[in-house]
Amino acid sequence: MSEREETQTIVPFRRRIRQYAGSAAACMGGFSLGCGLGWSAPCIEILRSDEYDIDVFMTDVIAAIFPMGAAIGTLVVPVLIDRIGRKWTMMTLTPFFVGGWILLICAGSRVSLFVFGRFVTGACGGMFCVLAPMYSAEISEKQIRGTTGVFFQLLLLVGILYVYCAGFTRDVIAISGLCAVAPVVFGVMMIFVPESPLFYFAKDKEEAARKSMRFFRGLDFDVEPEIEAFKEQVRRSRLQRLNISAFVNKPMLKTLAVAYVLMFAQQFSGINAIIFYGVTILEATGVGMESLIELVIFAVVQLVACVASALLIDKLGRKLLMAVSEAMMCVCLLALAVFFVVKSYQPEKAEQMYWLPLTSVCFYILFFNLGAGPIPWAYMGEIFPIRLKGAASSSAACFNWLLAFTVTISFPSAVATFGIATVFLFFALICFLNVFFVIFFMIETKGKTFKEIYEEFGTHVFDHESSRVE
């Protein structure tokens, strides 16, 4: 790299460091969510032990109540997000998140406290799914918006890895106590970053918006073009009435449909089933590792892939990464289905294929976190118009968590009824179909302003005056 090219790369990075830091601070909420998602893996078996003696049904309830809490939590977001802002809605969650972990620490053998604590942490985590990607998208320049959008999934995976490592304490109280640190760290970090400038413009606080823009862009950067674009967005958004008709017009339905299909494909690609069944798959290979070590390996693979996604998303674009991700996941799922068919009919031959399930699971997890995992959340923070963003993003997130709950609850019975190979073939079919959906219906947002994105979806609002401006 020449000295000039090196300067052109380093200078923008240094100027944008506060955008990366602000996004990372907000996405510490994703770290807290990851702690909640990962908590079940080390803790459920401990709760079933003689020390706690909680039966299988109730431990399943304790595990499954988290995604249900997340689904309900997302419904609260629209009530707060346009009243007190993105930052302060997230800050308000901090004591509730800590309180949920305290309930788990103090639960002892009381199932009711475990259920309530999991519900509260799930609700807070679900709200962060909407808030953090939205805040990251609104504070970031278009050139890096994809990268900062992936931060949420990245820190979520760091949170999962963190709680898996905490699982080596073999103590529910210690694990929950270590998880309680995460929302405290989030709250401290968010104190030092300002509110989204777009929210300030929506509240007619232009001076505060300019101050926020200068914080994230640097004092020497010309923020006027971006400010004018934000002001125009807000002016147009006010022409859109907030009623049911705003959500059922054709452009908005198209936007919602894209978000919903991506969320559906994410959950029915089988990721929760793979994680749920991952230890059993590894046991089928004859790899005699401790289950917690296997989980840590899975978490590290996810983390590596998500880092790669963050580095590539603003270079290759959302569509290409999604298409590659779904296609390769389909191949991995087909390989797993083939292995279990062979294992059923020719167990001796399956023993010779010991490498196939382990390789397939690792590559599946890698490609999921390259595209299908992080991109739907990042994409959701980009595509919805300002006045409808809170309600639309919350509905898509709620849909995602309801699907997660459905897959988590139904997977064991589906395997018992249809067989594991058939279930994996179904997941592979969903991935295959989603490749075509991404190619033909997903609009690329790489390097585009919010205005350009809304115009491509047709969700911008024009009146006579704005038409003349165009």
Side-chain angles (χ1 to χ4, degrees), residues 58-293:
M58 291 314 302
T59 54
D60 286 345
V61 170
I62 291 169
I65 199 66
F66 188 90
M68 181 55 69
I72 293 172
T74 59
L75 302 178
V76 180
V77 173
V79 178
L80 299 174
I81 196 168
D82 291 323
R83 288 178 172 81
I84 64 175
R86 286 69 163 142
K87 172 182 174 176
W88 286 105
T89 301
M90 289 190 285
M91 291 290 282
T92 302
L93 294 177
T94 302
F96 292 99
F97 224 145
V98 174
W101 288 117
I102 290 173
L103 286 173
L104 295 175
I105 292 168
C106 300
S109 298
R110 287 165 288 189
V111 172
S112 58
L113 287 184
F114 277 115
V115 170
F116 190 52
R118 290 282 289 164
F119 180 85
V120 171
T121 52
C124 292
M127 292 173 75
F128 273 114
C129 285
V130 181
L131 293 160
M134 186 185 299
Y135 180 85
S136 296
E138 291 180 357
I139 68 170
S140 302
E141 293 173 65
K142 62 182 182 180
Q143 292 87 350
I144 64 167
R145 199 171 57 234
T147 300
T148 57
V150 173
F151 279 10
F152 178 77
Q153 182 78 4
L154 181 63
L155 281 161
L156 183 150
L157 295 175
V158 174
I160 290 175
L161 177 59
Y162 172 80
V163 76
Y164 285 171
C165 293
F168 287 102
T169 63
R170 318 286 183 185
D171 188 326
V172 172
I173 294 174
I175 295 168
S176 302
L178 289 168
C179 290
V181 174
V184 175
V185 172
F186 159 80
V188 172
M189 291 176 68
M190 281 301 292
I191 290 173
F192 299 100
V193 294
E195 178 59 86
S196 156
L198 195 54
F199 171 75
Y200 279 136
F201 280 122
K203 291 296 181 181
D204 293 321
K205 297 179 178 179
E206 185 168 335
E207 185 53 40
R210 286 177 177 275
K211 186 177 179 180
S212 176
M213 287 288 284
R214 286 192 292 269
F215 177 90
F216 288 118
R217 302 295 185 266
L219 296 175
D220 298 329
F221 184 75
D222 181 13
V223 298
E224 289 306 317
E226 208 170 351
I227 284 175
E228 290 304 314
F230 275 176
K231 288 166 74 173
E232 177 68 5
Q233 275 181 252
V234 171
R235 188 187 67 77
R236 287 183 177 181
S237 74
R238 287 173 177 165
L239 300 174
Q240 180 71 67
R241 294 181 179 180
L242 278 177
N243 52 41
I244 192 64
S245 63
F247 292 92
V248 297
N249 64 65
K250 189 174 179 180
M252 192 60 198
L253 284 176
K254 175 186 173 183
T255 310
L256 283 168
V258 170
Y260 274 54
V261 171
L262 292 179
M263 293 301 187
F264 177 87
Q266 183 191 73
Q267 290 301 326
F268 276 87
S269 67
I271 184 60
N272 286 324
I274 289 289
I275 298 300
F276 177 85
Y277 210 69
V279 172
T280 303
I281 292 170
L282 284 179
E283 287 173 353
T285 70
V287 178
M289 285 187 292
E290 186 182 349
S291 59
L292 272 175
I293 295 175

Side-chain angles (χ1 to χ4, degrees), residues 12 17 171 235 250 357 383 429 449 457:
I17 195 72
D171 188 326
R235 188 187 67 77
K250 189 174 179 180
I383 63 175
L429 177 62
T449 64
F457 275 104

Side-chain angles (χ1 to χ4, degrees), residues 356-421:
L356 182 61
L358 176 61
T359 305
S360 299
V361 169
C362 287
F363 274 101
Y364 173 90
I365 290 173
L366 189 150
F367 281 106
F368 175 85
N369 287 284
L370 188 68
I375 289 177
W377 294 112
Y379 198 67
M380 189 175 68
E382 298 178 308
I383 63 175
F384 294 124
I386 300 169
R387 282 179 72 81
L388 308 181
K389 186 177 284 189
S393 297
S394 296
S395 70
C398 180
F399 180 65
N400 182 287
W401 282 109
L402 288 174
L403 292 174
F405 176 77
T406 302
V407 172
T408 303
I409 288 293
S410 63
F411 177 71
S413 57
V415 170
T417 304
F418 302 106
I420 186 65

